[in-house]
């Protein structure tokens, strides 16, 4: 998927619980999407926060992420080296528009089709963005990240392979099949919905087996 990202980390709340203006701007990209967004269902009662949207070369929003739980930081040597450090508990839900192969807006080429593999790859790369093996020298991280990104792509391209198992999770209250894998850094899963989008997710510290997904009725409430 050839996309660019519009990063929108959530700004801190002002006194009295009112979020600062910079936080309200982060929802703009989400509002441009022609498809519904998904997050964890109402069984999850913790914090929710916007992350980023990804756009195609023609500017159309193709995917985006919603965070749940603790806002994760990179798991570096300081976290990995301390047995007393509590692990962050978070799950990120990635929504991907289910698009066929199609011409770009300027008619100069074809945009790549999206699939469950697209959701699996985005989720796998998302988990890597918060991962850093504790024993690794800083100067080697880029090489490691490039290698792991290639691995995430290969795994996403082979959802029927031995690295993946299947589990059934509710989507809008209806059980749906998902592809699922675990690693030392967390877990990744991917599946589809009846609403014309694919859903990926990644996380650590929260069990994937107890999750459920639901369409977000009004994404503007996150602003």
């Amino acid at each position: 998927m050839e996309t660019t990202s519009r990063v929108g980390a959530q700004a801190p709340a002002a006194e009295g619980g009112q979020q600062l203006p910079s936080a309200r701007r982060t929802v703009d990209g989400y509002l441009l999407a022609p498809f519904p967004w998904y997050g964890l269902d109402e069984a999850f009662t913790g914090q929710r926060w916007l992350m980023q949207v990804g756009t195609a070369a023609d500017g159309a929003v193709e995917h985006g992420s919603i965070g749940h739980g603790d806002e994760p930081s990179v798991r570096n040597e300081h976290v990995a080296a301390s047995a007393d450090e509590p692990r962050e508990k978070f799950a990120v839900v990635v929504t991907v528009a289910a698009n066929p192969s199609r011409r770009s807006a300027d008619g100069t080429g074809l945009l790549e089709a999206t699939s469950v593999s697209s959701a699996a790859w985005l989720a796998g790369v998302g988990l890597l963005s918060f991962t850093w093996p504790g024993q690794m020298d800083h100067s080697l991280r880029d090489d490691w990240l490039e290698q792991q990104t290639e691995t995430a792509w290969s795994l996403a391209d082979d959802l029927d392979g031995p690295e993946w198992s299947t589990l059934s999770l509710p989507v809008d209250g209806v059980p749906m099949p998902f592809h699922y894998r675990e690693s030392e850094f967390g877990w990744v899963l991917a599946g589809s919905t009846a609403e014309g989008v694919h859903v990926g997710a990644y996380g650590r510290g929260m069990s994937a087996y107890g999750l459920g997904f639901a369409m977000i009725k009004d994404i503007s409430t996150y602003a």
Side-chain angles (χ1 to χ4, degrees), residues 16-66:
Q18 296 294 319
Q19 291 193 336
L20 300 177
S22 57
R24 290 195 291 271
R25 288 198 297 269
T26 63
V27 79
D28 291 349
Y30 293 83
L31 293 173
L32 295 175
F35 54 86
W37 295 103
Y38 271 76
L40 296 186
D41 62 19
E42 61 184 10
F44 176 80
T45 58
Q47 181 183 9
R48 300 171 184 249
W49 29 275
L50 299 176
M51 295 183 69
Q52 63 185 28
V53 298
T55 59
D58 62 359
V61 176
E62 287 200 325
H63 61 84
S65 303
I66 307 290

Side-chain angles (χ1 to χ4, degrees), residues 198-223:
H198 306 296
V199 169
Y202 62 92
R204 62 172 177 251
M206 293 173 58
S207 173
Y209 287 87
L211 301 182
F213 303 97
M215 185 170 62
I216 297 173
K217 296 179 180 179
D218 185 2
I219 192 67
S220 65
T221 60
Y222 283 70

